[in-house]
Amino acid sequence: EILRCLVGSEMCIRDRASCAERRSLRNFARALVICLLVLLIFMVITGILLAREGLSFADVFLRWLAG
């Protein structure tokens, strides 16, 4: 019975590290999705503001390259 308890606790310790890695990866994926959504929202708002001025992203980029 003691051996069963030891094997069980060893598996528990081993699985805990695996769960922590998965949790960390899941948190990273969530943060990445949030960043991409914020970037998308920023691009949409910028596009709307540029359209009001009769400009496009390409126009702004070319002006930026020209200095």
Side-chain angles (χ1 to χ4, degrees):
E1 185 175 335
I2 293 174
L3 285 176
R4 268 189 266 141
C5 288
L6 290 175
V7 168
S9 66
E10 180 184 320
M11 290 172 66
C12 219
I13 291 168
R14 184 194 65 209
D15 292 345
R16 182 176 38 187
S18 172
C19 288
E21 286 177 18
R22 275 182 273 166
R23 192 177 316 116
S24 177
L25 186 58
R26 197 176 316 125
N27 289 342
F28 175 76
R30 274 193 198 122
L32 184 60
V33 167
I34 289 169
C35 286
L36 290 173
L37 286 174
V38 168
L39 180 62
L40 179 63
I41 291 167
F42 173 76
M43 290 178 68
V44 167
I45 291 171
T46 304
I48 291 169
L49 294 174
L50 288 173
R52 284 184 177 177
E53 299 296 321
L55 299 171
S56 69
F57 284 112
D59 294 330
V60 174
F61 183 67
L62 291 174
R63 286 183 187 184
W64 177 74
L65 282 179

